[in-house]
Amino acid sequence: MANREPKPTINDVARLAGVSKKTVSRVINNSPLLNDATRDKVTAVIRDLGYVPNPQARALALRRNFLIGLIHDNPNAQMVLSVQEGMLDAMKGTEFALVVRPVDRKSPQLFDDIRHFIEQQRLYGIYVLPPVSENDEVARLCAELGCRYVRMGSARLDDEEHLVESNDREAVREAVDKLIRDGHTRIGHVAGPDGFRSAREREAGLREALLAHGLSLPDELRASGNYTFESGYAAAKQVLSQNPRPSAIFAANDEMAAAVLHAALEQGLEVPRQLSILGFDDTPIGAHIWPPLSTVRWPIRAMARSAAFKLIQPDRAAEHKSFFRSELVERASTAPFKG
Amino acid sequence: MANREPKPTINDVARLAGVSKKTVSRVINNSPLLNDATRDKVTAVIRDLGYVPNPQARALALRRNFLIGLIHDNPNAQMVLSVQEGMLDAMKGTEFALVVRPVDRKSPQLFDDIRHFIEQQRLYGIYVLPPVSENDEVARLCAELGCRYVRMGSARLDDEEHLVESNDREAVREAVDKLIRDGHTRIGHVAGPDGFRSAREREAGLREALLAHGLSLPDELRASGNYTFESGYAAAKQVLSQNPRPSAIFAANDEMAAAVLHAALEQGLEVPRQLSILGFDDTPIGAHIWPPLSTVRWPIRAMARSAAFKLIQPDRAAEHKSFFRSELVERASTAPFKG
DNA sequence: TCGTTTATGGTAACCGGTGTCAATAAGTCT
DNA sequence: AGACTTATTGACACCGGTTACCATAAACGA
């Protein structure tokens, strides 16, 4: 284990530089009222000693800390990791650190868990991902605890200071509109879980597009999953067992779209010749399966970056973007319908 | 934003309970030398006030903190997230929190980044994932900084206190042995990146199995990627373009195995009839593509759990498992070779 | 020349916990 | 009964930073 030599403190720096603690503190905090010579002297000592201010002590004195939390209960690993990357991108070079905490949104202790997470580490702010973010109680809890928060959503959840959101509904409407113009009239849907706003928005986009062309979503061509591959697989089997089969299926996320593809290939269907599949998310899995998935790209990383900025610069929260555009990415899993 | 009412401190509790700070501190820390009546009285006040000790103050006084770091530079999202889950599983109910930090292993600033990460937050311990974990300098740096560490690896990296590892080589040897017994004699390899110990181990397992049957790995049937889908795709195209084609390909991870499948299907090959594919990791992508991938399962989550235990209970580090067994998961991407 | 302003740096208290050690009360032993 | 333990609690300094406020010296104006 070796040398546990105590790290140099502000006192060591002060002593060696022949100045007071306060002066060192001024140097650390870039105070303007300081003689250049003094500043250089202190800076030199800091460098020589390899001094790094103790963040715990700073946090104590400043009555705030530098931890940003990420709360999620999301079956989509790639999405969560993209979020982490986006947040860290914004936090790079600052003294903030990212603390993660998956929760169970169905647990009766959800709120206790979140409260505990925030209070225990005295978090400075948290970013909440869907579906947890769709729960208004969570926002209330944060406000009550005096913890800054930003929610990620697919529809209006809160005011701009506290959200980053994307236009799922419109994007889906446009993507489905294209399918219809390509000749598809019988379109199935593997929906997201009931009660998820993102699921409702995406389904609404689908229905709006259908309606605009005088079409509709037959009940038997709709089944819902919970955004996991397995649930999507079950839903896909159900929808594909209908007669006549749909010529296209829109799945509420890529994971479930991959499951639709899986089920279709398993039944010997040719994709996209016999079945077009449209996903949502643009996660790597979509690009990696064969045929590669047409999907709606959601700027998750950029949203996370913006969210982190809002959290660490609360006074300038409004300057950072809140509304993001999702857009269609066409790949090989969709094709015009040839009756 | 609402009420930023200051949180109750130990002094508030002491005053209301009519005891000294120190006594409250004793209650918080479950000191045995305390009168039951006093303890109850203080506990009641703590509950009424909703008092939660300030971790920053505690960290300062104890000259240690409760943050465990996770360092990775891993293209595999699912793996990283499984690791996070495993670690948090071990940390559940403790006062520890998990701080994440992706790094760039190729950056000349890698060591500065890691040093900065550890020093800035004064981390209590860190868990380092491959391939960063394969760098002995990282271990040295941790020791120098007085930061506990555990490295994840596929071969001996350090002593038991500082590692969790799996038997990749053996597991691959057994899996490939099965392929050979199933009639495959011309087996290709999409290897991991040069310089990765995990890549070397997995390739070594393959070669050992081949050698045991008097076979070998022809140079033209080997290409390497860097564990990403894209790199695997390029490597797969190269290997599949050889004549005669291999009847089976072992890819060093699932992501690249998915790419091999992708490339094979794209060329109109039937899997597994014309080509068997074996992966490594057992990530969801492997189970979700069609046909589902035969692969070697690596107990990533259990390893992470054990690593976290070693970190948060350093005195009992040796009690927690260091060696884990990987094993073959047979699915539909492999089949006996029918000349 | 002296008072006044403007830089600059020091002192002390505090943030919210912890350790050390001494003080008090109660019980035990001879 | 008096001395000696033991159990329980508190006083106080300290962790490593911060802010509030004061002190000193140099520069300036009259």
Side-chain angles (χ1 to χ4, degrees):
Chain A
M1 196 90 262
N3 57 340
R4 186 61 49 82
E5 61 190 20
K7 300 199 170 68
T9 74
I10 198 172
N11 293 306
D12 300 327
V13 176
R15 188 161 32 73
L16 265 72
V19 299
S20 74
K21 284 168 77 166
K22 179 60 217 183
T23 303
V24 179
S25 172
R26 288 204 178 93
V27 173
I28 298 172
N29 295 287
N30 297 312
S31 162
L33 20 77
L34 248 183
N35 185 317
D36 282 348
T38 330
R39 183 192 310 278
D40 292 347
K41 190 172 55 179
V42 174
T43 308
V45 175
I46 288 180
R47 186 164 24 73
D48 290 352
L49 244 44
Y51 167 70
V52 180
N54 182 317
Q56 276 75 34
R58 240 166 97 73
L60 183 57
L62 289 169
R63 280 172 219 73
R64 56 164 290 202
N65 71 11
F66 298 92
L67 298 178
I68 300 290
L70 170 63
I71 291 184
H72 68 89
D73 169 16
N74 201 300
N76 186 334
Q78 187 59 52
M79 167 164 165
V80 174
L81 219 65
S82 296
V83 166
Q84 291 183 9
E85 282 170 10
M87 294 181 76
L88 285 161
D89 193 27
M91 291 155 63
K92 177 156 292 183
T94 72
E95 53 197 324
F96 285 92
L98 178 63
V99 187
V100 300
R101 165 76 55 130
V103 297
D104 176 358
R105 72 170 172 281
K106 295 193 183 125
S107 161
Q109 301 166 40
L110 174 64
F111 295 108
D112 286 341
D113 278 358
I114 295 178
R115 175 191 293 272
H116 187 251
F117 180 48
I118 293 174
E119 293 205 319
Q120 175 174 297
Q121 295 295 333
R122 294 285 205 277
L123 297 181
Y124 184 70
I126 61 172
Y127 183 35
V128 191
L129 301 193
V132 184
S133 63
E134 292 168 12
N135 190 321
D136 289 331
E137 278 302 299
V138 173
R140 229 192 36 66
L141 180 62
C142 292
E144 179 193 322
L145 295 176
C147 177
R148 285 159 235 280
Y149 67 92
V150 170
R151 300 197 276 169
M152 178 182 191
S154 339
R156 186 160 292 275
L157 289 171
D158 214 320
D159 56 305
E160 276 196 51
E161 183 185 345
H162 296 302
L163 71 81
V164 290
E165 72 178 32
S166 60
N167 61 335
D168 290 13
R169 183 192 294 225
E170 273 174 63
V172 171
R173 193 198 311 135
E174 288 166 19
V176 173
D177 186 74
K178 179 139 202 317
L179 280 179
I180 298 172
R181 283 186 280 113
D182 274 350
H184 294 277
T185 54
R186 196 163 161 76
I187 301 179
H189 184 39
V190 171
D194 296 337
F196 275 44
R197 196 176 312 228
S198 58
R200 281 203 301 279
E201 287 294 313
R202 292 168 199 183
E203 181 164 343
L206 166 64
R207 288 182 187 274
E208 286 176 9
L210 289 167
L211 198 63
H213 289 270
L215 301 170
S216 70
L217 174 61
D219 282 349
E220 73 274 15
L221 290 190
R222 177 192 185 282
S224 70
N226 65 2
Y227 283 152
T228 64
F229 183 90
E230 287 70 20
S231 67
Y233 180 71
K237 292 233 280 199
Q238 187 186 326
V239 173
L240 287 172
S241 68
Q242 301 305 316
N243 199 329
R245 243 191 357 247
S247 68
I249 292 182
F250 165 52
N253 76 344
D254 279 6
E255 190 101 355
M256 294 198 296
V260 173
L261 174 63
H262 193 108
L265 294 177
E266 198 175 25
Q267 294 183 16
L269 293 176
E270 281 180 41
V271 176
R273 200 177 61 77
Q274 296 173 284
L275 181 74
S276 282
I277 300 175
L278 177 66
F280 194 107
D281 271 353
D282 191 28
T283 53
I285 191 177
H288 297 166
I289 54 181
W290 183 260
L293 193 65
S294 295
T295 189
V296 176
R297 174 178 298 151
W298 204 18
I300 294 169
R301 216 186 131 124
M303 292 170 83
R305 219 177 88 93
S306 188
F309 274 127
K310 282 173 192 277
L311 290 171
I312 66 186
Q313 306 177 339
D315 43 326
R316 295 167 50 196
E319 293 174 33
H320 297 288
K321 214 170 145 183
S322 290
F323 302 98
F324 292 79
R325 291 196 59 76
S326 298
E327 55 184 27
L328 177 62
V329 179
E330 285 198 85
R331 287 194 283 243
S333 70
T334 48
F337 177 63
K338 306 204 163 48
Chain B
M1 196 89 261
N3 58 339
R4 186 60 48 81
E5 62 190 19
K7 300 199 169 71
T9 74
I10 198 171
N11 292 306
D12 300 327
V13 176
R15 189 161 31 73
L16 265 71
V19 298
S20 74
K21 287 168 74 166
K22 183 63 213 181
T23 301
V24 179
S25 170
R26 290 201 177 93
V27 173
I28 298 170
N29 294 285
N30 296 311
S31 162
L33 22 76
L34 247 184
N35 186 318
D36 283 346
T38 328
R39 183 192 311 276
D40 293 346
K41 189 172 56 180
V42 174
T43 308
V45 175
I46 288 180
R47 186 164 23 75
D48 291 350
L49 244 44
Y51 166 71
V52 180
N54 181 319
Q56 276 76 32
R58 239 166 98 73
L60 183 57
L62 289 168
R63 277 172 221 73
R64 55 162 291 199
N65 72 11
F66 298 93
L67 298 177
I68 299 292
L70 170 62
I71 291 184
H72 67 89
D73 170 16
N74 201 301
N76 186 333
Q78 187 58 52
M79 169 163 164
V80 173
L81 219 65
S82 296
V83 166
Q84 290 181 9
E85 281 170 11
M87 293 180 76
L88 285 160
D89 192 28
M91 291 156 62
K92 177 156 290 183
T94 71
E95 53 197 325
F96 284 91
L98 178 62
V99 186
V100 301
R101 166 74 57 128
V103 297
D104 176 358
R105 73 171 172 281
K106 294 193 183 126
S107 160
Q109 301 165 39
L110 174 64
F111 296 108
D112 286 341
D113 278 357
I114 295 178
R115 175 191 294 272
H116 187 250
F117 180 48
I118 293 174
E119 293 203 321
Q120 176 173 298
Q121 294 296 332
R122 295 285 205 277
L123 297 182
Y124 185 71
I126 61 173
Y127 183 34
V128 191
L129 301 193
V132 185
S133 63
E134 292 169 12
N135 190 321
D136 289 331
E137 278 302 298
V138 173
R140 229 191 35 66
L141 179 62
C142 292
E144 178 193 322
L145 295 176
C147 177
R148 285 160 236 281
Y149 67 92
V150 170
R151 298 197 277 169
M152 177 181 191
S154 338
R156 185 160 294 275
L157 290 171
D158 214 322
D159 56 304
E160 276 196 50
E161 184 185 343
H162 296 301
L163 71 82
V164 291
E165 71 177 35
S166 61
N167 61 334
D168 290 11
R169 183 192 293 226
E170 273 174 62
V172 171
R173 193 198 310 135
E174 288 166 17
V176 173
D177 186 74
K178 179 140 200 319
L179 280 180
I180 298 173
R181 282 186 280 113
D182 274 349
H184 294 276
T185 55
R186 196 163 161 78
I187 301 178
H189 184 40
V190 172
D194 297 337
F196 276 43
R197 196 177 313 228
S198 58
R200 283 203 300 280
E201 288 293 313
R202 292 168 199 182
E203 181 165 345
L206 167 64
R207 289 181 186 276
E208 286 177 9
L210 288 167
L211 197 64
H213 291 268
L215 301 170
S216 70
L217 174 62
D219 282 348
E220 73 275 12
L221 290 190
R222 177 191 185 281
S224 69
N226 66 1
Y227 284 152
T228 64
F229 183 90
E230 287 69 20
S231 67
Y233 180 71
K237 292 233 279 199
Q238 186 185 327
V239 173
L240 286 173
S241 69
Q242 301 304 317
N243 198 329
R245 241 190 1 246
S247 68
I249 292 182
F250 164 52
N253 76 344
D254 279 6
E255 189 102 356
M256 296 197 296
V260 173
L261 174 64
H262 192 109
L265 294 176
E266 197 175 23
Q267 295 183 16
L269 292 176
E270 280 181 40
V271 175
R273 199 177 62 77
Q274 296 172 281
L275 181 74
S276 282
I277 300 174
L278 176 67
F280 194 106
D281 272 352
D282 190 28
T283 54
I285 192 177
H288 297 166
I289 54 181
W290 183 262
L293 193 65
S294 295
T295 189
V296 176
R297 174 177 299 152
W298 204 19
I300 293 169
R301 214 186 133 125
M303 292 171 83
R305 218 177 89 93
S306 187
F309 273 127
K310 282 174 193 276
L311 289 170
I312 67 186
Q313 306 176 340
D315 44 325
R316 295 168 49 197
E319 293 175 33
H320 298 288
K321 213 170 145 184
S322 290
F323 302 98
F324 292 79
R325 292 196 59 76
S326 299
E327 54 184 27
L328 178 62
V329 180
E330 285 198 85
R331 288 194 282 242
S333 70
T334 48
F337 177 63
K338 305 204 162 56

